[in-house]
Amino acid sequence: MSIGFNTRRLAVGLFCMLTVDWEVEGQEIAGGVDLKGLPAEVADGIRVGNAVGEKERVVDGKDPVGSGLYFLELIGGDRDLESRLRLRYMEVLLGNGQTSAADEMAGTIKDYRSEVGRLMVLERKLILGNAPEAREVLEKIGRELGQWKDWQRTVLRVRLAGVGALAGMSDSEMAAWLAGYELIGDRMAAVVLAHVQRIRRGAEFTKEGLKRVMSDGFAEAPKVPVPEMVEAAGKLLEVVTGGVGGKRNEEEEKAIFEGIGVLLEKSNAYHADVLLDLAKYFAEQKREAEAKVAFEKAFGQMGFHLEGGGERYFKMAEIWKIRGKEKALEGYFEKLEDLARSQQPMDQPDGLAWTGACFMMLGAEDKGERLFLEAVRIAAGNPNPRMKYRGCLEVCLCRARLGRPMGSELQDALNAVLRGEVIGVAQ
């Protein structure tokens, strides 16, 4: 059965929600909806909705990532939000090995994040040894930096340096990307990322070499946050956990772990995620003492909040599952459930979905399923269409991270949202 889509109703809804005046459009789309006089952002949203409406949209419980795309396509009218979500979706696609789909997604992003996405795809291709076009892509992005704002150019230059090093470019070839930053922290980010990427390319790692790179010319650097050093630490961890850049001997592996510690310590930035990844790796290797140290350091940073951090608690549940100590966390996640319900309605679907994933990881399947369903019902009741679809998108991505197919009741609820139906209040 084909699912209809009321573009005229969407036009009215988006127009009423508009808070910022952007350049207007002056054309029509198929179906006779007149877009003359509407702001460009609103018109774009209507076009997307109209195109999506021509296709049958049915949630596939076995493909939460693909199903989430339906909701992503319906989010319009806020270019920054849409671009952020599309870049995040790219990370999920790349994590699932869907490089071509991620590359296609990068082309749909309408701000500088499109180039960030292209660099992410190129990095993955280089790691897989399948990027003959690497230098051409890098040089093209480098030539076109002038179209972006100053701070956006800085973001791109740092990433160009990192991916360029992975592609085998020398410092002299990347001189424009490695020097001349207004902030010392940005230059350090570029230099450190380039160094770590060369390790991932196959160069030998030594802690002395890392320290030399971090100290060379940075004696005057203030203690400012450099989050790219946390990113570099995560990439360095992949050398051991994923075999990126070739197998290393025991001595070099030990040095790499020490190097990860140096990067995290000197970053002056939040790094609980990398510490949790470290703890999980050590737990899998039955290195309990090291897992405990890494986890306790992470837990000391995590606090007790869900805003943007639901996956951290899921990682925590994974670690306890690996250790065979799931029961110890039941009371903790019951408190997390209460915290999820105390959030603003727009944030509750995300919090409840991740809490549900935690319970399912711990073996409480029925409770987890109820929380997923509650998350969709709350999202469906949000009067703001963007937040409604965003909530359902988060549910799909969370389910994908959990690695479990969606049950029939959850699928039915998500399909009801796609059809624009009112669904029951969470019990």
Side-chain angles (χ1 to χ4, degrees):
M1 179 180 69
S2 178
I3 299 173
F5 189 77
N6 191 328
T7 54
R8 192 173 300 278
R9 184 175 64 186
L10 176 63
V12 174
L14 286 174
F15 188 76
C16 291
M17 288 161 46
L18 185 66
T19 57
V20 182
D21 236 345
W22 279 295
E23 181 184 355
V24 299
E25 287 279 342
Q27 61 187 85
E28 297 181 2
I29 58 175
V33 179
D34 189 354
L35 300 185
K36 292 178 181 178
L38 287 181
E41 294 290 322
V42 175
D44 286 347
I46 296 171
R47 289 195 192 93
V48 169
N50 189 67
V52 173
E54 298 300 320
K55 299 180 291 185
E56 186 173 8
R57 299 171 307 185
V58 179
V59 168
D60 181 353
K62 295 179 180 179
D63 182 19
V65 174
S67 298
L69 282 171
Y70 294 136
F71 298 102
L72 180 62
E73 289 170 343
L74 290 170
I75 296 172
D78 185 334
R79 182 170 294 180
D80 183 69
L81 172 63
E82 186 179 353
S83 296
R84 282 191 284 112
L85 289 175
R86 286 179 179 272
L87 188 65
R88 178 163 171 249
Y89 219 94
M90 282 189 63
E91 293 175 349
V92 175
L93 291 169
L94 288 170
N96 286 353
Q98 296 173 264
T99 308
S100 296
D103 200 6
E104 184 178 342
M105 177 72 72
T108 70
I109 299 176
K110 297 177 181 177
D111 64 12
Y112 78 100
R113 295 181 185 91
S114 177
E115 306 290 43
V116 174
R118 293 186 193 285
L119 290 170
M120 286 166 52
V121 170
L122 184 59
E123 179 175 359
R124 177 53 51 189
K125 287 182 175 180
L126 285 164
I127 291 296
L128 296 174
N130 184 30
E133 78 284 16
R135 285 178 178 254
E136 181 182 343
V137 172
L138 289 165
E139 289 168 0
K140 183 176 185 297
I141 294 174
R143 286 195 303 271
E144 296 175 353
L145 286 173
Q147 66 183 299
W148 309 113
K149 296 177 181 178
D150 287 347
W151 68 269
Q152 294 169 346
R153 283 199 295 273
T154 295
V155 170
L156 291 171
R157 286 173 58 209
V158 168
R159 301 200 167 277
L160 279 165
V163 181
L166 186 61
M169 296 176 75
S170 65
D171 284 356
S172 60
E173 290 178 288
M174 302 189 302
W177 305 335
L178 286 168
Y181 292 102
E182 181 179 351
L183 300 176
I184 294 172
D186 291 328
R187 184 160 60 94
M188 179 176 279
V191 171
V192 169
L193 273 175
H195 180 74
V196 168
Q197 292 284 35
R198 287 179 177 129
I199 307 303
R200 297 173 90 214
R201 184 178 165 82
E204 180 184 5
F205 176 85
T206 65
K207 194 165 76 167
E208 293 73 20
L210 176 64
K211 287 184 173 181
R212 184 167 55 252
V213 166
M214 291 171 60
S215 63
D216 188 16
F218 297 115
E220 75 279 23
K223 287 193 173 182
V224 295
V226 185
E228 291 84 359
M229 291 173 69
V230 179
E231 182 183 350
K235 293 181 186 300
L236 196 54
L237 180 59
E238 290 180 10
V239 173
V240 176
T241 61
V244 176
K247 186 171 177 58
R248 310 299 169 114
N249 60 40
E250 185 176 342
E251 183 179 348
E252 190 171 358
E253 279 194 9
K254 181 181 177 182
I256 286 173
F257 283 121
E258 291 175 352
I260 291 169
V262 170
L263 285 168
L264 296 180
E265 180 186 351
K266 300 296 185 182
S267 71
N268 297 307
Y270 187 89
H271 53 265
D273 295 291
V274 176
L275 288 170
L276 287 169
D277 291 338
L278 263 173
K280 180 183 176 183
Y281 172 76
F282 286 136
E284 289 171 336
Q285 300 299 311
K286 309 298 182 186
R287 296 162 66 170
E288 184 73 11
E290 291 160 297
K292 180 180 179 182
V293 170
F295 178 80
E296 288 180 349
K297 287 182 178 179
F299 199 64
Q301 291 189 22
M302 285 170 64
F304 194 65
H305 60 85
L306 280 161
E307 293 83 354
E311 188 172 2
R312 294 183 191 114
Y313 296 97
F314 181 72
K315 288 181 178 182
M316 178 178 171
E318 282 184 308
I319 293 167
W320 251 247
K321 176 77 171 179
I322 292 167
R323 298 176 66 229
K325 298 185 178 182
E326 303 96 309
K327 295 294 183 183
L329 289 178
E330 286 181 353
Y332 183 88
F333 285 112
E334 286 173 359
K335 291 185 174 67
L336 195 68
E337 179 184 352
D338 293 338
L339 180 64
R341 290 202 178 91
S342 73
Q343 293 180 291
Q344 295 294 320
M346 63 179 285
D347 296 319
Q348 286 180 21
D350 186 15
L352 287 168
W354 280 112
T355 306
C358 291
F359 275 111
M360 293 180 78
M361 177 57 63
L362 298 175
E365 301 287 335
D366 290 344
K367 185 175 184 63
E369 289 286 8
R370 287 197 301 272
L371 288 172
F372 269 103
L373 190 57
E374 183 180 353
V376 176
R377 287 172 170 161
I378 290 174
N382 196 311
N384 183 328
R386 283 196 296 269
M387 294 301 102
K388 175 191 300 186
Y389 299 134
R390 179 185 179 184
C392 292
L393 169 63
E394 295 292 348
V395 167
C396 291
L397 291 182
C398 181
R399 196 69 181 213
R401 176 68 173 85
L402 176 63
R404 310 270 182 91
M406 295 186 283
S408 59
E409 197 172 3
L410 183 59
Q411 289 180 73
D412 289 345
L414 289 167
N415 279 320
V417 176
L418 287 176
R419 292 192 298 267
E421 297 175 1
V422 177
I423 61 178
V425 179
Q427 301 297 317

